[in-house]
Amino acid sequence: MKHRLLYINWDGFGRYYYDQMPNRAQRLPTLTSLMNEGTFFENAYTGIPSITFPMQSSIVCGCYSSKTKNCDKYWDRLKNEIIPLRRYNEAETIGDVLKAQKIPFVSIQQFALQDKGAGYGEKDSLYIQPNGDFEARFAVLNELLQNQRICTEKKTFYYKELPQAIFAYMDDLDAIGHNPPSVRASTEPKRVAAVQERLCKMDAALGRTIQILKDRGLWEDTYLLLTTDHGMISYKGASKMPQLARALRQMGCGKVVIRNQGPVQKEDFDVLLTSHDIQCQVYFNHAKQPQEMLKQQLLQLPFVEQVLTREELDVRGVCPEYADMVVSPVEGSYFGSAGITAPGLHATHDSLHEKCQKIFAYLSGPDVKRGHQTLQKVSNIDFLPELCRRCSIPVMRQASPGTALEDTFENGVET
């Protein structure tokens, strides 16, 4: 029997929002009850860089940027230019697989599948973008589950049978988590509380969707995957990039330049520093540096929390173009452009800090262990390849074969 897959992604759902929720059982009744119906992943993590499109595309491909080739941006050594990658993706998505196999599916604003298997107006591989907040997207999902139809401005699509795979993306937690001017919180506890308030509303909406699945007799045969792309961390004050550049020069690294976008000036340099917002990508222009020694020196700086060498980045599945070394600051600090000062409290997620890297992840389904909390460390790229196998869907070509979910299921892969 072919099982159904429902993958819901709540962008920016850092694990600590859930862990620190006051009166969690009362305020998050849906997530609380789900813990008895499936497996909760105590140690789920995202990849590098923890930025929305690289991670959203990685999840649907089952691999990180060493194969998708999207690391948000990189320094092109031949062009001597910093190249933004936007929605570039070389890897095969689950949408590509489903379309090739003629397996009907719907993507409700899961944009990593747009033109990567799913498209506007294509009923059996439909992409729809209702915009708005979570309520608008849950409304489309519920209409599909309850009445087997999707209404767009131009056309209504009717389904004799529900598509085997349904994807839904919601970005409320990310949007509020960034602490934009429209909801600007003055302190970190207030920022977190604002995100948690929205999480409570989304929890209630998820409960209504699950009730539809149960009322229609679909719940027991549906794999529900609820996870995310990254967490969030706050920062403020002046950028630490000038101090980092000065420290590298004092450590004997030579001439250090800072460029965040576009062509790099043709002046000769030894080290190039660039940043998304928080963590710093370090490139060595000439002789290779003794990275382990340099790493230990950098870790002595009061504003540095973590440093990853090129070898460590390889282990994490990061494409070689991304950086020769990555430096991530302590909470509250950031490596923005030189001279930048962030007035007030800001927040984003390209960081190696636990708040950005540790994510919420939950799975339930026909053979998923019930009431189970696994301590096994998993990555967000582990879920869909395994669910493909269990739903009789071919696995994406570049997907990692790993066995990270071996503690999640009651039995082996069904055939």
Side-chain angles (χ1 to χ4, degrees):
M1 181 178 184
K2 291 184 178 179
H3 300 303
R4 188 173 295 102
L5 169 62
L6 173 57
Y7 163 40
I8 298 177
N9 188 292
W10 285 354
D11 193 327
F13 195 178
R15 171 64 184 279
Y16 68 99
Y17 292 139
Y18 174 81
D19 289 343
Q20 297 176 13
M21 174 69 77
N23 303 314
R24 189 169 68 204
Q26 290 74 37
R27 298 183 68 194
L28 298 176
T30 303
L31 293 181
T32 299
S33 65
L34 281 178
M35 296 305 161
N36 296 321
E37 301 199 46
T39 291
F40 179 59
F41 297 88
E42 290 283 357
N43 293 293
Y45 287 85
T46 190
I48 301 169
S50 49
I51 294 176
T52 298
F53 189 78
M55 291 302 103
Q56 293 288 347
S57 58
S58 288
I59 294 170
V60 298
C61 295
C63 57
Y64 287 134
S65 64
S66 61
K67 296 177 181 176
T68 67
K69 300 303 179 184
N70 191 314
C71 56
D72 186 63
K73 70 173 185 177
Y74 71 99
W75 174 42
D76 187 316
R77 295 175 187 267
L78 294 179
K79 294 181 179 180
N80 205 26
E81 182 178 356
I82 296 173
I83 307 293
L85 291 166
R86 299 184 176 90
R87 294 194 177 183
Y88 184 77
N89 183 5
E90 286 189 8
E92 183 178 54
T93 71
I94 187 172
D96 292 326
V97 171
L98 291 167
K99 186 171 186 177
Q101 295 294 315
K102 301 188 185 316
I103 299 173
F105 73 99
V106 168
S107 175
I108 303 169
Q109 209 150 334
Q110 176 41 269
F111 56 89
L113 299 180
Q114 184 182 6
D115 300 322
K116 290 289 287 181
Y120 287 107
E122 300 178 17
K123 177 183 176 181
D124 290 333
S125 53
L126 183 64
Y127 180 79
I128 179 173
Q129 188 159 314
N131 293 316
D133 62 11
F134 71 97
E135 291 179 335
R137 302 176 204 183
F138 265 120
V140 174
L141 175 58
N142 292 348
E143 180 71 9
L144 175 60
L145 295 175
Q146 196 158 32
N147 299 314
Q148 297 184 195
R149 68 183 181 187
I150 286 184
C151 303
T152 69
E153 292 182 358
K154 297 182 178 180
K155 187 176 182 179
T156 297
F157 297 92
Y158 296 92
Y159 295 88
K160 186 176 180 180
E161 294 183 0
L162 275 177
Q164 189 183 350
I166 302 171
F167 307 89
Y169 166 83
M170 300 160 195
D171 57 354
D172 298 64
L173 304 182
D174 179 77
I176 296 171
H178 278 291
N179 203 32
S182 59
V183 295
R184 181 64 51 83
S186 58
T187 66
E188 175 66 356
K190 289 181 179 179
R191 183 193 71 83
V192 172
V195 176
Q196 291 173 326
E197 182 179 353
R198 182 57 60 94
L199 177 59
C200 292
K201 295 177 181 178
M202 295 172 72
D203 179 270
L206 178 62
R208 292 190 287 272
T209 296
I210 290 173
Q211 192 59 52
I212 291 172
L213 288 167
K214 291 181 176 180
D215 290 345
R216 293 208 60 204
L218 303 171
W219 176 248
E220 295 299 331
D221 193 44
T222 298
Y223 286 108
L224 169 63
L225 170 63
L226 176 62
T227 191
T228 189
D229 48 359
H230 55 70
M232 190 77 68
I233 194 169
S234 62
Y235 63 93
K236 61 182 178 179
S239 167
K240 298 296 185 183
M241 189 71 96
Q243 290 95 315
L244 178 61
R246 184 165 57 250
L248 287 167
R249 287 192 289 268
Q250 292 172 348
M251 293 172 188
C253 291
K255 186 175 183 179
V256 181
V257 298
I258 302 168
R259 300 288 184 272
N260 267 11
Q261 60 184 356
V264 177
Q265 293 181 7
K266 293 188 180 298
E267 60 184 315
D268 190 34
F269 59 89
D270 299 292
V271 180
L272 170 66
L273 304 182
T274 188
S275 167
H276 309 281
D277 283 303
I278 293 184
Q279 69 190 28
C280 180
Q281 296 159 261
V282 181
Y283 294 93
F284 302 116
N285 193 21
H286 301 305
K288 290 185 177 181
Q289 297 286 332
Q291 290 201 7
E292 191 56 42
M293 182 185 302
L294 183 58
K295 171 180 176 175
Q296 296 307 317
Q297 290 177 298
L298 289 170
L299 286 172
Q300 299 305 309
L301 299 175
F303 52 83
V304 172
E305 182 193 55
Q306 293 188 56
V307 178
L308 293 182
T309 64
R310 183 61 250 176
E311 184 177 345
E312 290 169 322
L313 290 169
D314 288 338
V315 172
R316 297 281 292 271
V318 183
C319 64
E321 294 81 8
Y322 179 62
D324 295 325
M325 179 177 281
V326 170
V327 183
S328 187
V330 297
E331 183 172 6
S333 295
Y334 67 106
F335 295 122
S337 299
I340 289 292
T341 298
L345 188 73
H346 296 257
T348 193
H349 39 78
D350 62 293
S351 168
L352 300 180
H353 192 280
E354 186 89 345
K355 282 188 172 181
C356 296
Q357 292 288 308
K358 192 169 187 179
I359 58 173
F360 185 94
Y362 167 86
L363 178 65
S364 61
D367 51 359
V368 177
K369 292 180 179 178
R370 298 170 66 91
H372 183 52
Q373 295 185 7
T374 177
L375 297 177
Q376 191 168 6
K377 186 174 181 179
V378 299
S379 299
N380 50 5
I381 60 172
D382 294 324
F383 297 112
L384 287 183
E386 181 61 31
L387 291 174
C388 281
R389 286 185 276 267
R390 291 175 181 271
C391 292
S392 301
I393 299 169
V395 178
M396 298 75 77
R397 282 194 301 271
Q398 294 90 348
S400 172
T403 57
L405 302 186
E406 59 187 10
D407 185 43
T408 306
F409 298 94
E410 298 286 1
N411 50 47
V413 177
E414 295 184 6
T415 58

